[in-house]
Amino acid sequence: MENTGLPVQGQTSRQASERFEKPRNYGPLSQFNGHARITGPCGDTIEFWLKASEGRIAGIGFTTDGCGPSRAAGSMATELAMGKPLTEAAQIEQADILTALGGLPEESQHCALLASNTLKATITDFGRKDR
Ligand code: FES
């Protein structure tokens, strides 16, 4: 059967499986002005660092000790956020990450929620600091 890239039950999209293996923007930033770490109900932790400049995300990185889908979701969250105004990046939701990944299996969709929540918390952390 031809692979259309669309999510099919029991299958993982090409976009997602590529990022299971090779997540983009993986690793902490040495210079950052926003940071957050959240452990989800599954017990896995995602951590984000961002460098914002003139209201935009100029650099972003993440790590996770979790599953393949958490690597894919964290990666896609950073890819969607990079270069965006902070106000826009703060609106990236679980559904946006899932759509960009071409879906995730139902049992892994919460991994995208953990990624979007951690991204939002990182942007909030930036806003909390006196700069
Ligand atoms: S199962 Fe915990 S983040 Fe995926």
Side-chain angles (χ1 to χ4, degrees), residues 42-44 46 64 66-67 69-70 107-108 110-111 114:
C42 61
D44 297 331
I46 297 188
T64 176
C67 56
S70 75
E107 66 274 14
S108 301
H110 70 274
C111 313
L114 183 57

Short mmCIF file of all heavy atoms in Angstrom, two decimals, residues 42-44 46 64 66-67 69-70 107-108 110-111 114, ligand 1:
data_model
loop_
_atom_site.label_atom_id
_atom_site.label_comp_id
_atom_site.label_asym_id
_atom_site.label_seq_id
_atom_site.Cartn_x
_atom_site.Cartn_y
_atom_site.Cartn_z
N CYS A 42 2.35 10.65 32.77
CA CYS A 42 2.99 9.39 32.40
C CYS A 42 4.34 9.20 33.09
O CYS A 42 4.93 8.13 33.01
CB CYS A 42 3.20 9.36 30.88
SG CYS A 42 4.26 10.71 30.32
N GLY A 43 4.84 10.28 33.75
CA GLY A 43 6.12 10.19 34.44
C GLY A 43 7.30 10.67 33.62
O GLY A 43 8.43 10.73 34.11
N ASP A 44 7.06 11.04 32.36
CA ASP A 44 8.14 11.53 31.49
C ASP A 44 8.26 13.05 31.62
O ASP A 44 7.27 13.75 31.87
CB ASP A 44 7.87 11.17 30.04
CG ASP A 44 7.85 9.67 29.81
OD1 ASP A 44 8.54 8.96 30.56
OD2 ASP A 44 7.14 9.22 28.90
N ILE A 46 9.66 16.69 29.89
CA ILE A 46 10.15 17.46 28.75
C ILE A 46 10.67 18.78 29.29
O ILE A 46 10.08 19.38 30.20
CB ILE A 46 9.04 17.71 27.69
CG1 ILE A 46 8.56 16.38 27.10
CG2 ILE A 46 9.55 18.60 26.57
CD1 ILE A 46 7.61 16.51 25.91
N THR A 64 14.02 15.42 26.32
CA THR A 64 13.00 14.60 26.97
C THR A 64 13.63 13.29 27.41
O THR A 64 14.54 12.80 26.74
CB THR A 64 11.81 14.33 26.02
OG1 THR A 64 10.90 13.44 26.68
CG2 THR A 64 12.21 13.71 24.70
N GLY A 66 11.55 10.88 27.72
CA GLY A 66 10.37 10.06 27.45
C GLY A 66 10.46 9.26 26.16
O GLY A 66 11.54 9.01 25.61
N CYS A 67 9.29 8.94 25.68
CA CYS A 67 9.09 8.03 24.57
C CYS A 67 9.48 8.66 23.21
O CYS A 67 9.71 9.87 23.13
CB CYS A 67 7.60 7.70 24.53
SG CYS A 67 6.63 9.22 24.42
N PRO A 69 7.40 9.26 20.68
CA PRO A 69 6.46 10.35 20.38
C PRO A 69 6.78 11.65 21.12
O PRO A 69 6.52 12.74 20.59
CB PRO A 69 5.11 9.77 20.81
CG PRO A 69 5.27 8.30 20.61
CD PRO A 69 6.70 8.00 20.98
N SER A 70 7.33 11.58 22.31
CA SER A 70 7.67 12.84 23.01
C SER A 70 8.85 13.52 22.31
O SER A 70 8.93 14.75 22.29
CB SER A 70 7.95 12.60 24.49
OG SER A 70 9.21 12.01 24.70
N GLU A 107 -2.80 6.52 21.72
CA GLU A 107 -2.21 6.38 23.05
C GLU A 107 -1.01 7.31 23.26
O GLU A 107 -0.50 7.43 24.38
CB GLU A 107 -1.81 4.91 23.33
CG GLU A 107 -0.70 4.36 22.46
CD GLU A 107 -1.20 3.79 21.11
OE1 GLU A 107 -2.37 4.07 20.72
OE2 GLU A 107 -0.41 3.11 20.43
N SER A 108 -0.56 7.97 22.18
CA SER A 108 0.60 8.88 22.30
C SER A 108 0.21 10.34 22.12
O SER A 108 1.09 11.21 22.15
CB SER A 108 1.65 8.52 21.25
OG SER A 108 2.07 7.20 21.41
N HIS A 110 -1.17 12.35 24.12
CA HIS A 110 -0.88 13.18 25.30
C HIS A 110 0.57 13.66 25.29
O HIS A 110 0.89 14.66 25.95
CB HIS A 110 -1.16 12.39 26.59
CG HIS A 110 -0.19 11.28 26.83
ND1 HIS A 110 -0.34 10.02 26.29
CD2 HIS A 110 0.97 11.25 27.50
CE1 HIS A 110 0.68 9.26 26.65
NE2 HIS A 110 1.50 9.99 27.38
N CYS A 111 1.45 13.01 24.55
CA CYS A 111 2.86 13.43 24.48
C CYS A 111 2.93 14.82 23.82
O CYS A 111 3.78 15.64 24.20
CB CYS A 111 3.69 12.43 23.70
SG CYS A 111 3.39 10.71 24.19
N LEU A 114 1.95 17.41 26.41
CA LEU A 114 3.07 17.70 27.31
C LEU A 114 4.04 18.68 26.62
O LEU A 114 4.53 19.62 27.25
CB LEU A 114 3.78 16.40 27.71
CG LEU A 114 4.94 16.53 28.69
CD1 LEU A 114 4.52 17.19 29.99
CD2 LEU A 114 5.55 15.15 28.97
S1 FES B 1 4.51 8.43 27.13
FE1 FES B 1 5.22 10.06 28.39
S2 FES B 1 5.64 11.66 26.98
FE2 FES B 1 5.07 9.99 25.73
#
